[in-house]
Amino acid sequence: MAEGMRPFRLRGRGGPQKFGVAAGSLRGLLRKGCRLLQVPLAGSRLCLYEDGTELTESYFRVLPPQTELVLLGPGESWRGCECGGAGATGRGLGAGEGHFTGARSGRMRGNGYIIIIYYLQAEGPRWGEEQHAIHCSRLVFQGPFDRDDCPCKHSINPYSNRESRILFSTWNLDHVIEKKRAVVPELAEAVKTRDGREVNWEYFYQLLFTVHNLKLVHIACHKKTNHNLSCDKTKIYRKGKQNHKIS
């Protein structure tokens, strides 16, 4: 295979047959797919088989090899494969895979972040549930920091197969009030200038590690710009108890 080329599994909207196609760019993959499936290039596009997410060039670059894709012709749509348990995926979870073994990236280090994800998904799986229930759980992404929901309605079932778990590792937990630009500098300043006051550790813990300030965001919806949000100055220090003298 030529340098820079990666293999993908490609199918059409209307049939189960899959084809192996290698390409080094989204445009190149689209051209090859249209020729192979005899679909007109104009108005065609590629999306993930798993959840229907339409590909962009930047998203294409982070896809793992052998990702399963659907080629959509003009006017066609794909909302993702149906969740149907181990039988639908053709295989169950291996030992340890319920903890996303092998699917972590620099964005998700260890079970701490993964536990947060469970809190982000109100109807998602909980530790200790049966595997058949886990297979039918989809995570719904919450959209960028300045919106109440995901404009593209992204979702995924990271338990359905290994490919989905790899894709899941490319998505992000985003701090609404930014960790590096706001929370950590504010905490450092609070410790430096506390002058006998007690820093409100619970408040900073919420900002850094909980859904109070974290959103689960699809990589295509993650806005990597300055959020221009700051910590609540009234919550930096604990409010001390008033001492009353008894005369």
Side-chain angles (χ1 to χ4, degrees), residues 98-112:
H99 296 259
F100 303 103
T101 300
R104 298 169 190 154
S105 71
R107 299 180 183 89
M108 295 181 186
R109 295 185 178 90
N111 284 340

Side-chain angles (χ1 to χ4, degrees), residues 72-231:
L72 300 175
E76 291 183 332
S77 62
W78 179 259
R79 299 184 63 183
C81 63
E82 293 297 324
C83 170
T89 64
R91 56 186 176 271
L93 290 174
E97 289 183 8
H99 296 259
F100 303 103
T101 300
R104 298 169 190 154
S105 71
R107 299 180 183 89
M108 295 181 186
R109 295 185 178 90
N111 284 340
Y113 268 4
I114 293 171
I115 291 171
I116 292 171
I117 291 168
Y118 282 102
Y119 285 104
L120 290 170
Q121 172 60 13
E123 297 180 358
R126 297 294 183 265
W127 301 112
E129 286 189 348
E130 295 298 324
Q131 286 189 3
H132 73 271
I134 287 175
H135 274 291
C136 293
S137 299
R138 296 186 73 84
L139 293 171
V140 178
F141 292 85
Q142 298 177 305
F145 74 95
D146 55 355
R147 286 185 59 114
D148 293 331
D149 58 7
C150 177
C152 299
K153 309 300 181 186
H154 290 122
S155 67
I156 192 172
N157 177 4
Y159 295 95
S160 62
N161 51 52
R162 184 176 297 276
E163 174 185 299
S164 296
R165 291 189 287 283
I166 293 172
L167 286 174
F168 182 51
S169 73
T170 70
W171 299 345
N172 297 268
L173 282 167
D174 188 25
H175 289 86
V176 179
I177 301 174
E178 294 175 280
K179 179 180 69 174
K180 290 184 179 179
R181 289 193 177 105
V183 180
V184 172
E186 190 71 66
L187 175 58
E189 182 65 19
V191 172
K192 181 180 177 181
T193 61
R194 59 184 172 177
D195 192 25
R197 294 172 291 180
E198 185 179 357
V199 175
N200 189 351
W201 303 109
E202 285 86 354
Y203 174 62
F204 285 104
Y205 178 84
Q206 286 182 338
L207 293 181
L208 290 170
F209 303 115
T210 76
V211 294
H212 180 83
N213 192 47
L214 275 168
K215 296 184 73 176
L216 186 59
V217 186
H218 188 285
I219 187 173
C221 291
H222 188 187
K223 296 181 179 179
K224 296 182 179 179
T225 59
N226 194 329
H227 295 186
N228 292 316
L229 297 171
S230 57
C231 301

